[in-house]
Amino acid sequence: MIIAPSILSANFANLEKSLQRVSSAEWLHVDVMDGHFVPNITIGPLVVKGVNTLSNQVIDTHLMITDPYKYTEAYAKAGSDYITFHIETVSSPIELIKHIKSFGVKPGISIKPDTQVEAIKELLPFVDQVLVMSVEPGFGGQSFMHSAIDKIKFLDSLRKSNNYKYLISVDGGINEETSKLVKAVGVDVLVAGSYVFNSENAEEKITSLR
């Protein structure tokens, strides 16, 4: 199981210390929001560049923005290892996948709670990660939506039957209990924000997710 603490819940007054608290995690998840696709504004490429200088962990940049193609290059050059975009924001997803790959970055695709797996089914052979949102994107600290479980099951069955290589990631309301539910149906990557960073012992929370 890959643990990806979401730095949306980190302490930006002392980001270096916050990242040190989650140093045992394999990945760091960076939520980029533009105030249009979701009702919040968060992190630009300079923050990703800063995170890259402070950590050797894999950086998974999640673009919750209306024009991911426009900003792919900036986030790639800032140090992203994965760039994940939302199917709901693009008209030519295969072109964006190629664009992401052109920078040596692994492409991921994400679906909101009201978007079905069928919307991305034809793209699955070409991506390295599928991110299932188990909350409405935009803010941390929300409760897990159990409708994500059936989507994860379906993605896992498609992966097995077609020998696809993508990782299945889940983001939203992840804690010790919900992590067990999604692990049982095929999840590879757990994105957790407030559950990890709002704890006095972040490493203990990471261990509990494993």
Side-chain angles (χ1 to χ4, degrees):
M1 182 65 68
I2 295 169
I3 309 300
S6 171
I7 69 167
L8 182 65
S9 298
N11 177 9
F12 279 84
N14 194 337
L15 185 56
E16 182 174 8
K17 184 177 179 180
S18 275
L19 297 182
Q20 289 171 350
R21 296 182 66 223
V22 296
S23 60
S24 70
E26 293 84 359
W27 289 15
L28 292 172
H29 186 85
V30 181
D31 287 309
V32 177
M33 308 180 193
D34 62 359
H36 296 281
F37 178 60
V38 294
N40 199 1
I41 297 174
T42 56
I43 293 165
L46 286 177
V47 176
V48 175
K49 186 176 181 179
V51 169
N52 192 40
T53 63
L54 294 170
S55 169
N56 293 320
Q57 290 150 293
V58 171
I59 297 177
D60 176 25
T61 299
H62 178 195
L63 299 182
M64 290 181 272
I65 61 179
T66 54
D67 192 356
Y69 194 101
K70 181 178 180 180
Y71 296 100
T72 290
E73 182 175 1
Y75 283 100
K77 290 183 176 179
S80 301
D81 297 289
Y82 285 78
I83 291 180
T84 299
F85 66 93
H86 272 266
I87 187 62
E88 301 90 355
T89 66
V90 293
S91 57
S92 300
I94 196 66
E95 292 304 315
L96 180 52
I97 289 169
K98 291 177 181 177
H99 188 53
I100 293 169
K101 287 183 176 181
S102 73
F103 296 103
V105 177
K106 295 179 179 180
I109 194 163
S110 183
I111 51 176
K112 294 171 66 177
D114 59 353
T115 302
Q116 299 303 310
V117 173
E118 283 79 1
I120 61 170
K121 195 173 178 181
E122 293 183 358
L123 303 170
L124 295 177
F126 310 109
V127 296
D128 291 285
Q129 178 180 205
V130 179
L131 174 59
V132 177
M133 294 301 299
S134 46
V135 297
E136 285 295 336
F139 295 93
Q142 299 181 63
S143 298
F144 180 83
M145 298 173 70
H146 284 74
S147 57
I149 292 175
D150 286 339
K151 292 181 183 179
I152 295 164
K153 284 182 180 178
F154 187 29
L155 284 165
D156 189 44
S157 68
L158 289 171
R159 178 170 60 178
K160 290 174 179 175
S161 61
N162 294 283
N163 198 30
Y164 292 151
K165 303 301 182 184
Y166 56 80
L167 297 173
I168 301 173
S169 179
V170 62
D171 182 2
I174 295 299
N175 55 41
E176 188 173 0
E177 296 306 316
T178 56
S179 64
K180 294 175 184 176
L181 298 176
V182 296
K183 181 180 181 180
V185 292
V187 158
D188 308 288
V189 183
L190 295 173
V191 178
S194 56
Y195 176 72
V196 172
F197 281 108
N198 291 355
S199 168
E200 291 185 4
N201 191 331
E203 294 289 3
E204 186 177 89
K205 294 298 185 181
I206 290 171
T207 299
S208 74
L209 293 176
R210 295 195 200 287

